[in-house]
Amino acid sequence: MVLEAMMICIDNSEWMRNGDYAPSRFQAQADAVNLICGAKTQSNPENTVGVLTMAGKGVRVLVTPTSDLGKILACMHGLETGGEMNLAAGIQVAQLALKHRQNKKQQQRIIVFAGSPIKHEKKMLEMIGRKLKKNSVALDIVNFGEEDEGKSEKLEALIAAVNNNDTSHIVHVPSGPNALSDVLISTPIFTGDGEGGSGFAAAAAAAGGVSGFEFGVDPNLDPELALALRVSMEEERARQEAAAKKAAEDAANQEKGGDQQASSQDATMTEHASAAMSEVENMTSDLMQALAMSMDDPAISHDVKDTDMSEASASDPELALALQLSIADSAKDQTSQSDMSKLLADQSFVSSILASLPGVDPNDPSVKDLLASMQNQSKPQQKNDDKPSEEEEKK
């Protein structure tokens, strides 16, 4: 990490009023200066930066080399533009300010923003360059704005005179939609070239919105803030994981509860259907038993009553009358039983009766089988009922 003291020479001449650099030449220059100062102070807490102007009433030092970024940025506000740029005087005053730096271990560097024409001769600039090289002062030049005849050639000659082991650089920035600061980020003025260059590429990236450190904070400069940010991030990550786990458990419980509810509903419906089927079976068995009894009793009663009537008719007229009445009642019961058998044979009637029962499905296969068996049993009975009795045949 390079330890440097830097002076930035600002061009505040009349040419800075032009608007070929958005929003103006001077404002674009001010943004680039702020970016360089911030990156320089962040790269090393012991780095110092100073600012001076090269136009107006003369060269004026706004702030001597300092590590206070607030003081550096404050000096840029309220600057007036006017006059012509005096490049030679500005570089000489910047060298003098660096000579009186407090920390003599700091390397010396001057950054010049040249946005207006240069009136000095090429030989004069070369002489200034050799003087800077003799005093181990590196020089970076940002050439933008006016491009008159010989301006680039003069600046190239100045860089060639001061350059030592490729520690000095010149950048030509043409006018266009790109901001001046955005163009400078990718140049050696920001990226540096090892121990001889500016050497604050990481800090420049941080100032441009890209940080190489976790959470954008260097733990070496502010370990407490870095630790607090790391703990906060871990707590937030743990909270998000717990929330996701809880949501997954709730979803699983809802699915399980829905399955249990559906199974309980199926079991309830099955129980209702079973109860209804058992009730139907009981009713059917009762009906079948009653039908069987009613079908068997008349034959017996016919034989017995016919015998009793033949015997009693001669001896007891009243008993004979009672037997005749009893035979008439049996005939009525037999008629009603035959009617019941006909009703059971009527499939639509039986289906409507079963559909009215709760929990009974007339289309259930077991119910259909039961009804079919009942109808099969009723058909022989109907055939027997339809056959005339032996006495009727005899008559």
Side-chain angles (χ1 to χ4, degrees):
M1 186 177 296
V2 180
L3 179 62
E4 283 186 335
M6 178 185 298
M7 285 297 296
I8 300 179
C9 302
I10 298 176
D11 185 358
N12 60 330
S13 64
E14 288 288 345
W15 302 91
M16 293 297 101
R17 300 180 186 273
N18 293 348
D20 49 353
Y21 294 84
S24 65
R25 287 187 187 179
F26 185 77
Q27 188 59 45
Q29 177 185 227
D31 294 340
V33 170
N34 292 338
L35 186 63
I36 291 175
C37 292
K40 184 64 177 180
T41 54
Q42 290 181 15
S43 65
N44 193 326
E46 296 184 8
N47 285 345
T48 57
V49 180
V51 180
L52 61 82
T53 57
M54 297 182 295
K57 297 180 179 180
V59 177
R60 183 165 63 98
V61 177
L62 301 179
V63 59
T64 56
T66 178
S67 59
D68 188 354
L69 182 60
K71 185 183 294 185
I72 298 171
L73 298 178
C75 73
M76 297 294 298
H77 295 285
L79 290 180
E80 296 181 357
T81 57
E84 295 182 356
M85 177 184 66
N86 190 345
L87 179 61
I91 294 176
Q92 292 175 352
V93 173
Q95 179 187 0
L96 184 62
L98 292 175
K99 184 177 181 180
H100 292 87
R101 65 190 184 281
Q102 294 180 355
N103 188 357
K104 300 301 180 179
K105 294 182 179 180
Q106 292 175 323
Q107 297 183 13
Q108 304 173 79
R109 180 173 295 275
I110 299 174
I111 298 180
V112 175
F113 283 85
S116 58
I118 298 175
K119 304 298 183 181
H120 305 291
E121 296 292 335
K122 180 179 178 182
K123 293 182 179 181
M124 183 180 179
L125 294 178
E126 290 177 346
M127 182 183 64
I128 294 175
R130 288 192 293 268
K131 186 177 179 179
L132 292 177
K133 182 177 181 180
K134 182 179 179 180
N135 290 278
S136 301
V137 179
L139 177 65
D140 292 330
I141 298 177
V142 180
N143 179 23
F144 70 106
E146 295 299 321
E147 185 61 36
D148 59 348
E149 296 180 1
K151 178 183 178 182
S152 297
E153 183 180 355
K154 293 177 182 179
L155 294 177
E156 292 285 353
L158 175 59
I159 289 295
V162 72
N163 195 10
N164 182 20
N165 296 326
D166 198 20
T167 58
S168 300
H169 313 89
I170 182 171
V171 177
H172 303 278
V173 183
S175 60
N178 296 327
L180 184 61
S181 57
D182 294 340
V183 176
L184 293 179
I185 287 178
S186 59
T187 62
I189 296 177
F190 271 84
T191 59
D193 51 1
E195 293 296 322
S198 58
F200 52 93
V210 180
S211 177
F213 301 107
E214 186 179 10
F215 312 118
V217 177
D218 187 359
N220 298 322
L221 299 180
D222 197 344
E224 295 180 357
L225 178 58
L227 178 60
L229 291 174
R230 187 178 297 106
V231 171
S232 177
M233 181 62 71
E234 291 177 356
E235 291 178 353
E236 179 65 18
R237 188 181 294 110
R239 186 189 67 79
Q240 292 179 358
E241 291 178 355
K245 185 177 180 180
K246 184 178 180 182
E249 291 178 355
D250 293 341
N253 292 333
Q254 289 180 359
E255 292 180 359
K256 185 176 180 181
D259 295 340
Q260 291 179 353
Q261 185 177 2
S263 61
S264 63
Q265 290 179 357
D266 294 340
T268 304
M269 293 178 64
T270 305
E271 292 178 358
H272 286 306
S274 300
M277 288 299 299
S278 62
E279 183 178 357
V280 172
E281 290 177 358
N282 293 333
M283 293 174 61
T284 305
S285 62
D286 293 340
L287 290 173
M288 294 297 293
Q289 184 177 2
L291 289 173
M293 292 176 64
S294 63
M295 291 169 64
D296 294 339
D297 291 343
I300 299 173
S301 61
H302 273 293
D303 297 338
V304 174
K305 291 177 181 179
D306 290 344
T307 304
D308 293 342
M309 183 181 291
S310 61
E311 294 179 355
S313 59
S315 59
D316 192 351
E318 295 180 357
L319 179 59
L321 180 59
L323 290 173
Q324 291 178 358
L325 293 175
S326 175
I327 291 172
D329 293 336
S330 298
K332 292 181 180 178
D333 294 338
Q334 186 174 1
T335 302
S336 62
Q337 290 170 3
S338 62
D339 294 338
M340 180 62 70
S341 299
K342 292 179 179 180
L343 290 176
L344 291 174
D346 190 354
Q347 185 176 359
S348 61
F349 175 75
V350 175
S351 298
S352 63
I353 294 299
L354 292 176
S356 63
L357 294 177
V360 179
D361 186 7
N363 297 321
D364 190 89
S366 59
V367 176
K368 290 183 177 181
D369 295 341
L370 182 59
L371 292 176
S373 63
M374 291 172 59
Q375 292 174 2
N376 293 332
Q377 292 178 3
S378 63
K379 288 180 181 179
Q381 182 63 31
Q382 290 179 3
K383 292 180 180 179
N384 294 331
D385 294 341
D386 294 339
K387 290 181 180 180
S389 62
E390 294 179 357
E391 294 179 357
E392 294 177 354
E393 292 178 354
K394 290 180 181 180
K395 292 181 182 180

